[in-house]
Structures are given as structure tokens and as C-alpha cells.
Amino acid sequence: MLKKISKIIAWFLGMLLLLLAGCIVYVYFFIAIEPPSPSSLAAMDYKITEVDSGLFKIGSNWFRRSESGLYELYVEGEPFERGVANGKLTKNLVEYQEVVFTNQLKRLVPSAMYRNLLKHTIRWFNRNMDADIPEEYKLEIYGVSRSASPEFNDIDSPYQRMLNYHAAHDIGHALQNISLVGCTSFATWGNRSEDSTLIIGRNFDFYLGDDFARDKIIAFYNPSSGHKFMMVTFGGMTGVLSGMNDQGLTVTLNAAKSEIPLSSATPISLVAREILQYASTIKEAHEIAAKRKTFVSESLLIGSAKDGKASLIEKSPDGMDLVESTNNYIISTNHFQGSPLGETPLNKDHMVQSSSLYRYDRVKQLIEKDKKNSIAKTAIILRNQKGIDEKEIGMGNEKAINQLIAHHGIIFQPEKRLVWISTAPWQLGKFVCYDLNKIFGLSMDKNHEIYENELTIAADPFVKTPSYSEYKKFLPFRFPFNLHTDLQPNSLIRWNPDSYQAYMVAADYYLDHKAYAKAIPIYQLGLTKEIATTQERIHMEKNLQLCQEKIK
């Protein structure tokens, strides 16, 4: 009887392995995304010339590194050609960004077996993604991918990897409960601005480690069709996270709470890119957003010089709202405000459980306190670390407008075509200003600075303080993907004494080491601090109860 059962089990396992092998073969050979077919591959013969020390050109396309630490890129022409030029000029950054991304993935998923399973899952998930991407952007991404490193071909082909990286932004938003995302943006105009012009500020708080945000590119695009525009990006990324076009239309993205997606659609950054390239008014932006299906929920704050105001396009896989303001200011954090999307149980729960509503109320408090906004005041708001009513809530708290993790901070003045972009660290370094009225008329034959030096906003004085030095010691312990064996609980609390997170991490350490008596008072004190999310409060309360039970 046992022999018969063993044969059945062996047969079952054999069939399971055969099925698994069949699935892998299917994934690899039947759902591979084929790259588009450019009308000509002549662009692959483009040669880079260093026309001046540190200034690199391919035809009229150019690339340089500013003394500010920001990289600057100008590309023009047809989709594939500008993609190739982009890839060749930024090749080192494209390769570096992929190394950083894969290294972070290894930290998040240490098991090679699970990473392999994840690879197949993503391939399956994104199997139809190219059907939802305009041909223009597929050609451009393909052009960039020709400069990708062969080191990662075991993961996928360069083109398919580049497509997947664009979707990774959306997956990160869908998983925002692991604190990768918590962006804040706002706009003022009319009687809410000192000179009555439209002013927009935003922090892009998408965090995958400081290495990920190290090499920012300020890209200036002069495409063969549509409007000229600028955007803040990084190696290999052609989608838009923050940008403004020569019509004075701006786009910024803020994640809203999403269900875990079951299939891909158009990556939201490519929807934003299409809006930036082809819209000049809020109405035109809305029309473009309406024709694209997305697989995550997102708010797009659209500023328009022609309309003299900003509005929110709130979009989910199932619907879309246009949110407008009659107060001459508008705020976007990470929840929907319109109807019907703002009324869903998912959104309402998120408003209660996350930091989004708190940050919204804090921005509103600061705007109403200052009465009339300005460029300088916008920078101050973006750098603000305090809680409501100036409460000390600890450095890096997700409830703060400035969470000390921003990939970038950015300020737009669309009617004047001016944009200010933060330099490292985060949004604390100086903000440098670019004038789009001048940029697209430049003839770059000599390497020189192109930002408007007299309009620079000075670095935040906070970077000169002892508190900043202490926070830099604390930062590596904030996120679970930064694993450390040298954690010292008392040091964490000393470095960031107002932060609930310092107490939570310290107490968790004692709990893991069965030092329950030491953990209890730390959890108790941490629970008196301003806690960012309901999930973290429940975590601390449950662990406190566990410790108390252990020492009874």
C-alpha cells in the first residue's frame, strides 16, 4: 500500500514539475514582448563627441553635469533617434540605475529562487503592456534600451526590462503601505500668490535608497511632434514624474491607494508624459488621461498658464474625476478628493489609516497662515518638518511635508516658464532655476552653466545643524530593506528623540532578542509620539501586549 502511495506522490510531483516547466517555457517563448521596428537603424551609428571638456554631443543632442550635481540632457527629433541619443549620452547612468535597482531588489527579496519566481510573475503580469503604450514611446524606449548593459540579460531582454522598469513605478505605488511613497504637492494662484501668478510646489517622495536618487537628470525634450518640455528623471526613464512644457503646462504625480493590480495597462508615468508633450490646457490634459487605461490609482496635479490655475485629474483603473478649486489654491497628497473616487471605501479607509490626510491638513494650515504664497515661501513649505500647529513629530516622519527622503523637490512658475529643482540632499540643497524661454534656444558648443544663478534659492540652514548629522545616522535604520547587524537601540532614540519610529525600531530589536522588560517602556513611550499610520500603531500595541504577557 505504501509503495502504491509513493508512486502516486512521485507521479503527482512529476506532473507538477512538468506543468511548471511548461509554464516557464510558455512565459519565455510565447509571451515575450517583441520590440518595435524602427523605419531605420541608422541612429545606432551615432557617435559621441566631447566638444568641450565635460560637454558631450551627438549632433544637436547634448549632455553635461552641472556644478549643482544635477545632470542636464537635451534630445530632439524622431522617437527612436532621440531614444538612441538619450541612451548613448547617458549610458553610464542607465547602467548604474539598473545596478542600483537590481541590488535593491536583492535586498528586498534575498532568495534567488523567489527572485526567479518574481521575474516570471512580472513577465506574465506585463505580457500585454506594450499594447497599452503608444508606438512613439515604445520606439523611444527601444532606442534607450540599445544602451542597456548585457549584464542583466538573464533577467530579460534590454527592451523588455526597460518596459518593466516603467511599470515598477506603478507597482511601488500599489505597495505604498511599505512606505516607499508619500508625495505632497500644492498650487496657489490669484489672490493666494504674491504676484497673482500660478505657483506649484511638490516633493517626490519615492524612496528606494539614496543610491537610487543619486544621479538625477534634468531632461529637455524637443520632440518631432508635440510641445517642447522639461522633466526630472533618471537613467533609462522616459516617463514623466515632474515636468513642464513650453506652453506653461505642468504635470506632477501623487499616488492614491490602489488594490493590488491583476494585469498591466499604461504606466502612469507614460500617461503623464503624453499629457506633457501634447496638452497645453487642463481640458486637453483631461482628454488625454481619459483615453488611457491605467492599473494603479493616481492624482495628476495639472498646472496651466493658459488657464491661470491648477486642477487635479484623479484616475483609477475604474474611473476618473476632475477636481477643481474655488479658493485659488489646491492641495494633493495621497488620497482622492473628488466624487465618486473619493467616496470609495478603499479611499476612505486610506484617509483614516495613512499619513495622507494629516499632510493635506498641514499644507492647508501653512497656505492659509501665509495668506499670499511666493516662490521662496513654497520652498519653505516643501522643507517643513513640523506637524500640525508646529508640533515636533520627529525627523523623517511620514506625516511631515518634508520626510527627508525626497527624490526631488520642484517648484514651477508656469506663466514665466521658470522651474526650480532641488539639489542634494533631498530638497534641502539649493534649488536651481531653469528658464525654458532660454533653454531651447541654446547652442551648446561650450560647457557652461545653464541655470539662472541669480534666481537660486539657498540651501536649507538645517543641513548645517547637529540634528541633520544625527538624522544621517538614523536614516539607514528607517527602512526594512536596509538590514543592519550593528543596531544600538539607545543610539536610535538619542539620534531622533521625537520620532515614534526610533522607539518602534529600538523596541522591536529588544523584542527580537527576548529582552521583553527593556522593550516595554520603549513601546509605551513610542506610543505617545505622533505615529504616521494606523498599521504601525497596531504593530506597536500588539508587540507591547506580547512583551507584557511574556514577563507575567
Side-chain angles (χ1 to χ4, degrees):
M1 184 68 173
L2 288 174
K3 191 174 181 181
K4 186 175 181 181
I5 292 173
S6 296
K7 284 184 177 180
I8 292 172
I9 292 173
W11 177 86
F12 177 77
L13 290 174
M15 292 301 294
L16 189 62
L17 287 171
L18 187 63
L19 179 62
L20 180 60
C23 289
I24 292 173
V25 169
Y26 178 75
V27 166
Y28 261 95
F29 295 102
F30 292 96
I31 64 171
I33 296 176
E34 290 297 320
S37 298
S39 57
S40 170
L41 294 176
M44 290 307 302
D45 295 327
Y46 286 168
K47 302 297 182 186
I48 299 175
T49 303
E50 188 172 9
V51 297
D52 192 18
S53 179
L55 174 63
F56 303 91
K57 295 189 74 173
I58 294 176
S60 297
N61 306 282
W62 55 264
F63 178 67
R64 67 181 298 273
R65 189 177 190 269
S66 169
E67 61 79 26
S68 69
L70 300 172
Y71 288 89
E72 296 162 349
L73 171 72
Y74 170 85
V75 291
E76 65 181 26
E78 298 293 331
F80 180 68
E81 285 73 16
R82 66 178 181 253
V84 170
N86 182 339
K88 284 178 176 283
L89 289 167
T90 66
K91 181 177 175 61
N92 289 341
L93 301 188
V94 172
E95 292 180 351
Y96 170 79
Q97 211 69 38
E98 190 161 21
V99 168
V100 169
F101 189 84
T102 53
N103 284 346
Q104 196 62 278
L105 180 63
K106 288 176 182 177
R107 293 190 188 99
L108 287 166
V109 188
S111 167
M113 181 184 73
Y114 284 123
R115 288 199 304 272
N116 198 44
L117 177 62
L118 179 63
K119 175 177 73 175
H120 296 311
T121 301
I122 290 173
R123 216 173 201 245
W124 171 261
F125 179 86
N126 289 336
R127 65 193 182 277
N128 297 319
M129 186 169 63
D130 63 327
D132 295 300
I133 297 176
E135 187 71 12
E136 175 181 4
Y137 301 141
K138 287 188 286 188
L139 284 164
E140 185 175 322
I141 292 169
Y142 181 46
V144 176
S145 75
R146 299 298 293 260
S147 294
S149 171
E151 179 184 349
F152 303 104
N153 285 353
D154 61 319
I155 297 176
D156 224 321
S157 70
Y159 175 63
Q160 193 150 348
R161 295 201 314 269
M162 289 291 175
L163 286 182
N164 289 342
Y165 293 152
H166 281 76
H169 174 81
D170 301 62
I171 299 301
H173 278 196
L175 299 176
Q176 61 178 291
N177 60 334
I178 62 173
S179 298
L180 298 180
V181 180
C183 304
T184 302
S185 58
F186 62 95
T188 62
W189 60 93
N191 63 358
R192 287 290 181 175
S193 293
E194 284 184 357
D195 63 357
S196 79
T197 63
L198 174 61
I199 300 171
I200 299 158
R202 80 85 57 98
N203 287 332
F204 182 62
D205 294 308
F206 184 84
Y207 189 74
L208 280 175
D210 288 338
D211 287 342
F212 182 80
R214 191 190 77 179
D215 295 334
K216 289 177 276 290
I217 302 172
I218 314 306
F220 303 98
Y221 269 71
N222 184 0
S224 53
S225 61
H227 306 300
K228 303 178 184 72
F229 62 92
M230 65 72 58
M231 64 178 180
V232 183
T233 187
F234 45 84
M237 180 68 165
T238 65
V240 167
L241 309 170
S242 305
M244 178 169 69
N245 67 24
D246 63 354
Q247 304 298 299
L249 183 118
T250 70
V251 182
T252 63
L253 302 180
N254 282 55
K257 185 64 176 176
S258 294
E259 301 282 5
I260 301 299
L262 299 177
S263 63
S264 66
T266 307
I268 192 67
S269 67
L270 292 178
V271 177
R273 164 67 187 274
E274 188 174 5
I275 289 171
L276 198 61
Q277 188 174 341
Y278 289 102
S280 64
T281 64
I282 294 169
K283 181 176 183 293
E284 290 172 357
H286 187 268
E287 290 170 352
I288 291 171
K291 71 180 183 181
R292 298 296 176 198
K293 180 182 178 183
T294 58
F295 57 103
V296 291
S297 297
E298 199 90 16
S299 290
L300 294 89
L301 191 150
I302 308 295
S304 168
K306 289 185 177 179
D307 295 304
K309 65 178 183 178
S311 299
L312 296 176
I313 297 173
E314 298 183 336
K315 190 168 176 61
S316 79
D318 303 313
M320 190 168 76
D321 293 330
L322 178 64
V323 179
E324 300 188 282
S325 170
T326 57
N327 298 318
N328 286 354
Y329 72 86
I330 199 163
I331 303 165
S332 179
T333 49
N334 299 109
H335 60 273
F336 285 146
Q337 302 171 45
S339 178
L341 295 181
E343 303 301 318
T344 65
L346 181 68
N347 187 67
K348 287 186 172 181
D349 287 346
H350 184 58
M351 290 172 68
V352 171
Q353 296 176 14
S354 74
S355 66
S356 182
L357 185 59
Y358 188 100
R359 273 183 287 116
Y360 179 97
D361 289 340
R362 177 58 174 159
V363 176
K364 182 178 179 181
Q365 183 181 66
L366 292 175
I367 289 175
E368 294 186 341
K369 176 184 176 183
D370 286 334
K371 301 299 182 185
K372 290 185 179 293
N373 191 30
S374 67
I375 298 298
K377 288 178 181 177
T378 298
I380 291 171
I381 292 174
L382 293 178
R383 291 167 168 171
N384 191 285
Q385 298 183 51
K386 300 290 182 66
I388 288 174
D389 296 331
E390 309 305 315
K391 180 180 180 180
E392 294 289 350
I393 60 175
M395 294 180 289
N397 195 317
E398 194 180 319
K399 283 186 171 179
I401 299 167
N402 176 9
Q403 302 169 37
L404 295 173
I405 58 169
H407 181 275
H408 64 267
I410 193 164
I411 302 169
F412 300 103
Q413 197 168 24
E415 285 136 302
K416 297 182 180 180
R417 309 302 192 264
L418 297 176
V419 54
W420 286 259
I421 300 151
S422 66
T423 60
W426 312 303
Q427 66 275 65
L428 301 180
K430 66 182 180 181
F431 276 74
V432 295
C433 177
Y434 294 94
D435 185 345
L436 295 198
N437 296 300
K438 299 178 182 178
I439 292 292
F440 292 105
L442 288 175
S443 177
M444 289 295 286
D445 297 317
K446 294 290 183 183
N447 191 8
H448 62 91
E449 294 301 333
I450 63 172
Y451 70 81
E452 304 296 311
N453 186 57
E454 70 280 5
L455 296 178
T456 297
I457 298 171
D460 191 330
F462 173 69
V463 298
K464 302 284 190 180
T465 65
S467 294
Y468 173 68
S469 298
E470 299 287 72
Y471 177 74
K472 286 197 294 183
K473 299 174 191 174
F474 173 78
L475 176 61
F477 300 94
R478 275 189 67 181
F479 297 96
F481 49 72
N482 290 330
L483 301 178
H484 291 269
T485 57
D486 58 344
L487 191 153
Q488 299 178 13
N490 291 336
S491 294
L492 286 182
I493 295 170
R494 186 175 68 253
W495 293 333
N496 203 354
D498 293 311
S499 168
Y500 76 93
Q501 202 170 24
Y503 293 87
M504 181 175 70
V505 174
D508 285 353
Y509 174 87
Y510 283 131
L511 173 60
D512 291 342
H513 289 77
K514 298 182 170 45
Y516 306 117
K518 290 184 176 180
I520 288 172
I522 297 177
Y523 278 129
Q524 289 173 331
L525 190 51
L527 285 165
T528 68
K529 304 297 180 180
E530 190 68 57
I531 299 173
T533 67
T534 301
Q535 181 182 0
E536 289 168 308
R537 176 171 290 280
I538 291 171
H539 167 86
M540 294 172 73
E541 289 172 342
K542 284 185 175 179
N543 281 358
L544 172 60
Q545 183 179 357
L546 175 62
C547 290
Q548 290 169 332
E549 290 172 354
K550 289 289 186 180
I551 62 172
K552 281 182 180 178

